[in-house]
């Protein structure tokens, strides 16, 4: 070992960094280290682990808690071939429910699932997957780096599926069928292997579907009835964004990564609220030193009961909470550094990161089983 650790993130402090208990929203924070083998942690505001799950698959992005104490977890299906160079970075394939003691209650497998799988309390799962486009269908996709298709000239296009508790298909949507190629072109710097790269999908209160299309920098609302695009963010509003969610007033909270943001020579990330009626950004948070907070990929934001916002700075494993006026009142850096246990990912990311995809905060009232298992 060298005298000085060459991992720049690991040289910095980890664990609890800052806490103002008079301003922070009470509760417990859930996260799954992406470099782990299936560990999920629940920590209190002081950074102490109050519960842990050990699951049989490495994370296929993230975990959430459902009503009744069930853990919804997206894992990576072992032994799959890479569809294209970056596929192993964000593929999943296993969507499971686990009890507080880690017992797997049920699981659904789809080797083409990636990024997001949104588990609902009634047992349904809404998730993103892929289908291959070849020939004229692949050529019709606009933008991207010329000649950068997957093997055989394939463009892997996104689909969205909803399944029931028993795995039956309830609803599906195809980008190839419903997205206009000219209106949703790939950014010129992106490979043509995957279009439009949907990294988040969630149901809205009106039954329609909210989705984030990273490689075309668009947040869209999809009609569940017809599949048409009912609304899209105004071009230039967000750049390579993640994790839009619907707020109580109908606005959208979005983690805006800021890669290739038009008109900005120095990239930075921010969290924004978008008014759907006007399409305007009506609130945003960025670090006072804008360049300090920049997540080129991944990231999420959650509006908390007291009006604060929990932010996941994913690549840095940095979780923090800010008030409405931008006061940072809680900060925690994930202390779990590891090399990816599987060579398929270690080849893409040779460092030992502490990344997480998303973190979630829960009140004590939402997890009454915790006291019984303590």
């Amino acid at each position: 070992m060298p005298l000085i650790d060459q991992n720049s993130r690991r040289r910095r402090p980890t664990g609890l960094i800052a806490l103002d208990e008079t301003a922070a929203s009470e509760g417990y924070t859930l996260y799954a280290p992406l470099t782990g083998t299936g560990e999920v942690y629940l920590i209190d505001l002081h950074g102490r682990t109050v519960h842990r799950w050990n699951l049989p698959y490495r994370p296929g992005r993230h975990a959430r808690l459902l009503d009744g104490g069930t853990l919804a977890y997206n894992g990576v299906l072992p032994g799959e071939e890479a569809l294209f160079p970056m596929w192993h970075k964000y593929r999943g394939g296993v969507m499971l429910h686990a009890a507080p003691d880690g017992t797997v209650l049920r699981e659904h497998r789809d080797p083409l699932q990636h990024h997001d799988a949104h588990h609902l309390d009634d047992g349904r799962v809404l998730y993103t997957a892929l289908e291959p486009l070849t020939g004229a269908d692949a050529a019709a996709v606009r933008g991207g780096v010329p000649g950068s298709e997957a093997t055989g000239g394939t463009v892997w296009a996104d689909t969205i599926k909803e399944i029931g508790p028993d795995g039956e298909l309830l609803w599906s949507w195809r980008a190839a069928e419903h997205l206009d190629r000219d209106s949703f072109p790939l950014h010129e710097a992106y490979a043509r292997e995957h279009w439009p790269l949907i990294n988040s999908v969630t149901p809205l209160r009106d039954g329609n579907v909210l989705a984030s299309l990273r490689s075309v920098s668009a947040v869209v609302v999809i009609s569940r009835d017809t599949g048409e695009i009912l609304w899209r963010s105004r071009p230039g509003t967000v750049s390579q964004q993640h994790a839009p969610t619907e707020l109580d007033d109908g606005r959208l909270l979005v983690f805006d990564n800021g890669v290739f943001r038009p008109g900005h020579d120095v990239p930075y990330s921010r969290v924004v609220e978008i008014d759907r009626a006007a399409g305007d950004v009506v609130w945003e948070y960025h670090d006072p030193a804008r360049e300090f907070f920049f997540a080129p990929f991944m990231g999420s934001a959650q509006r908390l009961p007291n009006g604060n916002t929990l932010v996941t700075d994913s690549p840095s494993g940095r979780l923090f909470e800010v008030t409405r006026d931008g006061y940072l009142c809680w900060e925690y850096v994930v202390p779990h550094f590891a090399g990816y246990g599987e060579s398929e990912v270690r080849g893409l990311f040779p460092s030992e990161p502490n990344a997480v995809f998303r973190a979630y905060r829960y009140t004590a009232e939402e997890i009454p089983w915790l006291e019984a298992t303590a």
Side-chain angles (χ1 to χ4, degrees):
M1 290 289 292
L3 291 177
I4 298 176
D5 188 346
Q6 296 304 291
N7 187 320
S8 58
R9 289 197 175 107
R10 197 164 50 200
R11 287 198 306 271
R12 300 183 176 120
T14 62
L16 183 67
I17 305 299
L19 171 61
D20 181 344
E21 293 188 84
T22 67
S25 186
E26 295 182 357
Y28 302 89
T29 304
L30 183 82
Y31 68 89
L34 283 177
T35 52
T37 57
E39 301 82 23
V40 180
Y41 296 88
L42 188 66
I43 61 171
D44 64 15
L45 284 181
H46 293 272
R48 298 173 297 217
T49 298
V50 298
H51 197 78
R52 172 175 165 168
W53 293 257
N54 294 291
L55 299 168
Y57 309 97
R58 71 177 178 88
R61 304 290 90 181
H62 66 297
R64 286 176 54 241
L65 283 170
L66 304 178
D67 288 347
T70 299
L71 183 79
Y73 180 79
N74 302 322
V76 174
L77 187 63
E80 294 295 308
E81 296 295 323
L83 301 178
F84 44 84
M86 293 301 288
W87 177 236
H88 284 320
K89 176 187 175 184
Y90 51 68
R91 72 182 183 89
V94 181
M95 294 155 274
L96 65 78
H97 287 179
D101 67 359
T103 300
V104 175
L105 304 174
R106 72 163 185 255
E107 67 175 50
H108 176 75
R109 295 187 171 198
D110 183 339
L112 295 180
Q113 183 266 328
H114 67 90
H115 277 96
D116 202 7
H118 185 91
H119 299 248
L120 287 85
D121 290 320
D122 63 6
R124 289 177 293 144
V125 184
L126 186 70
Y127 68 91
T128 53
L130 293 180
E131 66 170 348
L133 303 182
T134 58
D137 289 334
V141 173
R142 304 298 182 222
V145 177
S148 60
E149 293 84 356
T151 302
T154 301
V155 174
W156 288 91
D158 283 303
T159 65
I160 302 173
K161 298 180 180 181
E162 183 183 80
I163 57 170
D166 296 323
E168 68 275 22
L169 182 65
L170 304 177
W171 180 81
S172 63
W173 180 89
R174 302 173 57 238
E177 179 182 359
H178 294 289
L179 276 191
D180 179 76
R181 308 303 203 269
D182 293 324
S183 300
F184 294 91
L186 286 166
H187 187 278
E188 61 183 11
Y190 270 82
R192 289 175 52 81
E193 60 195 17
H194 187 178
W195 170 78
L197 208 164
I198 298 179
N199 57 32
S200 177
V201 60
T202 184
L204 296 171
R205 285 191 295 273
D206 64 6
N208 293 314
V209 175
L210 179 67
S212 166
L213 286 54
R214 171 173 167 85
S215 298
V216 302
S217 291
V219 176
V220 300
V221 174
I222 300 168
S223 169
R224 183 178 290 271
D225 291 335
T226 67
E228 67 180 310
I229 302 301
L230 301 176
W231 179 90
R232 71 166 290 176
S233 55
R234 184 185 306 128
T237 304
V238 289
S239 297
Q240 319 300 302
Q241 73 296 317
H242 282 75
T245 56
E246 182 182 28
L247 300 177
D248 290 341
D249 60 5
R251 292 175 177 175
L252 301 180
L253 186 70
V254 185
F255 188 98
D256 180 21
N257 293 77
V259 183
F260 306 125
R261 181 178 289 121
H264 292 262
D265 59 343
V266 176
Y268 64 92
S269 297
R270 61 180 185 162
V271 177
V272 298
E273 277 184 35
I274 301 174
D275 177 14
R276 273 193 278 175
D280 298 328
V281 172
V282 294
W283 177 84
E284 73 173 86
Y285 168 82
H286 56 76
D287 195 273
R290 294 192 184 207
E291 68 281 1
F292 177 79
F293 171 33
F294 175 53
F297 49 89
M298 302 188 292
S300 69
Q302 176 193 3
R303 183 56 46 80
L304 300 175
N306 69 348
N308 291 356
T309 302
L310 178 69
V311 183
T312 305
D313 179 357
S314 297
S316 298
R318 178 174 169 253
L319 318 177
F320 63 95
E321 178 184 346
V322 295
T323 65
R324 188 74 183 177
D325 59 4
Y327 171 63
L328 188 149
C329 58
W330 182 80
E331 184 176 14
Y332 176 86
V333 175
V334 171
H336 311 289
F337 291 82
Y340 285 86
E342 299 181 19
S343 60
E344 63 184 26
V345 181
R346 191 63 183 266
L348 296 171
F349 300 95
S351 66
E352 295 187 353
N354 62 336
V356 294
F357 189 57
R358 295 180 192 164
Y360 295 93
R361 176 78 54 81
Y362 298 93
T363 64
E365 292 74 22
E366 290 177 298
I367 45 176
W369 54 266
L370 180 61
E371 185 175 347
T373 59

